[in-house]
Amino acid sequence: MVEQPGRMMSAEIAEQPAALRRLLETGAPRIRETARAIAARRPRFVLLTARGTSDNAALYAKYLVEIRLGLPCGLASMSTTTAYGARPDLRDVLVVTVSQSGGSPDLVASTRAAREAGAITLAVTNNADSPLAAVSEYHIDVLAGPERALPATKTYTSSLLALYLLVDGLRGGDGSDAAVLPGHAERILARREEIRQLAGRYRFAGRMVITSRGYGYPTAKEAALKLMETSYIPALSYSGADLLHGPLAMVDNISPVIAVVTAGKGGEALQPVLDRLRGRGADLVVIGPAAQVSAASAGFVLSLEDVPEELQPVLEILPLQLLAYEVTIARGQDPDAPRALAKVTETH
């Protein structure tokens, strides 16, 4: 019997409220313990290491670390270690490696090298028995459960929540603000028909541009990745600020522009970009507050008034995961098994 295309990805998208609830109930206490142990060592800098979807989760953590902890934070270039053999002094540096599988050789090698260079190493994975977890001093299990579809969905949102709980724990918080997430996730995913209609509008798109600012920028990058790996539509992601520095010239009234408008300072910073896009007659799709959606060509309303801005990315990505799925199904393709991809990508 032939399985329905996209069955696994669809099921795993639907599992996310339960996965978030499980992490809050089961994983949060252990994450707080890990955060306390790391905080006691007073790291002076944070370095994040990741690939693919996990790289977008790491970018989210970069915003958290810089804004909520006030620590300098960078995204590692692993080839400086794995290809060029560089060995920087990483004493008192917290190196956080984010990986769904924990199996990519370059992630393992760079983390091992960081530990040898004096770093405090922490792996954030969905596999406690992975090689990455084994070479790291600390480990956080995101507890998303087995993920069979090639496009990562539930491991992404669980990684975001785990990273939030880590950063909140590093500053002495208890993570209680995150308790609202599972309920909101259930309500968003229940509106699937709205996304299906939106997908019908854009199934023949030849290109998409996705933009945001602040905490929403990692969401834009992850949405672009999901669209490209499932539907094969070229999807370009830009910070709203970067979009104005040149790429705005390619925007027309044919290719849709998806704007992720976070309720808060990031959304406020994006407002001039939205004004410029409307001025160019762009086919503007807004994922965000009702007022912004009503002023766009199309969109999906997110009512997140009781969700802190720094937690909204956990929810903003959900309609965009559904959009990638529904566009792919509408184009007659199987989002469970994108061509040329494997679940564990072995880069070196």
Side-chain angles (χ1 to χ4, degrees):
M1 181 178 177
V2 178
E3 289 189 348
Q4 177 185 352
R7 183 183 64 82
M8 290 186 293
M9 183 179 179
S10 179
E12 288 166 359
I13 289 173
E15 289 173 23
Q16 289 176 105
L20 296 173
R21 191 170 285 113
R22 180 167 56 247
L23 184 55
L24 287 169
E25 294 174 354
T26 304
R30 282 179 282 181
I31 293 174
R32 283 196 295 273
E33 289 177 9
T34 300
R36 280 195 294 268
I38 292 172
R41 298 172 66 173
R42 302 179 65 83
R44 58 183 172 83
F45 191 93
V46 179
L47 196 59
L48 296 155
T49 307
R51 295 284 192 203
T53 284
S54 294
D55 199 32
N56 298 327
L59 179 59
Y60 166 72
K62 185 175 190 294
Y63 278 88
L64 287 173
V65 168
E66 292 180 349
I67 295 169
R68 293 177 66 82
L69 296 182
L71 288 177
C73 183
L75 297 173
S77 300
M78 278 176 283
S79 62
T80 62
T81 297
T82 59
Y84 291 92
R87 292 295 183 266
D89 181 359
L90 296 178
R91 287 172 293 179
D92 302 321
V93 174
L94 172 60
V95 172
V96 182
T97 306
V98 187
S99 172
Q100 169 198 320
S101 68
S104 185
D106 58 348
L107 293 169
V108 175
S110 63
T111 300
R112 181 185 294 110
R115 190 169 182 179
E116 292 170 353
I120 306 162
T121 53
L122 167 65
V124 179
T125 80
N126 193 42
N127 184 359
D129 298 321
S130 64
L132 178 60
V135 301
S136 300
E137 185 175 359
Y138 300 99
H139 176 253
I140 288 174
D141 189 342
V142 304
L143 300 176
E147 193 171 54
R148 296 173 59 208
L150 284 176
T153 53
K154 63 180 181 176
T155 52
Y156 178 70
T157 50
S158 291
S159 294
L160 294 188
L161 177 53
L163 289 163
Y164 172 82
L165 293 172
L166 169 69
V167 172
D168 196 54
L170 289 171
R171 61 196 297 269
D174 62 2
S176 57
D177 285 348
V180 299
L181 293 178
H184 274 288
E186 287 171 346
R187 289 187 287 275
I188 290 169
L189 294 176
R191 297 164 57 196
R192 191 166 191 151
E193 184 56 36
E194 294 178 49
I195 296 296
R196 188 171 291 119
Q197 293 176 15
L198 196 61
R201 178 185 175 110
Y202 297 113
R203 63 180 292 192
F204 297 116
R207 180 189 70 204
M208 290 186 180
V209 174
I210 302 142
T211 188
S212 189
R213 289 204 69 179
Y215 284 112
Y217 180 40
T219 305
K221 291 178 67 66
E222 175 61 11
L225 176 58
K226 282 293 151 288
L227 282 161
M228 287 188 287
E229 69 181 349
T230 57
S231 70
Y232 317 141
I233 296 173
L236 310 174
S237 60
Y238 296 99
S239 156
D242 288 333
L243 184 63
L244 297 184
H245 283 266
L248 183 67
M250 71 175 173
V251 173
D252 53 32
N253 62 354
I254 299 173
S255 299
V257 178
I258 300 174
V260 181
V261 184
T262 302
K265 293 181 179 179
E268 293 168 7
L270 190 64
Q271 188 58 53
V273 183
L274 300 176
D275 294 339
R276 291 285 298 275
L277 289 168
R278 293 186 186 101
R280 289 188 58 81
D283 184 356
L284 179 62
V285 184
V286 166
I287 308 297
Q292 295 290 353
V293 172
S294 65
S297 305
F300 185 92
V301 173
L302 290 175
S303 300
L304 303 177
E305 294 79 7
D306 62 334
V307 182
E309 181 178 0
E310 59 268 20
L311 277 169
Q312 291 178 35
V314 181
L315 302 169
E316 289 168 340
I317 192 60
L318 300 179
L320 292 161
Q321 291 173 345
L322 286 173
L323 182 65
Y325 170 86
E326 294 292 351
V327 166
T328 305
I329 293 296
R331 289 163 69 95
Q333 295 153 202
D334 184 359
D336 281 347
R339 61 195 182 202
L341 297 182
K343 195 63 177 170
V344 179
T345 304
E346 296 196 0
T347 47
H348 296 270

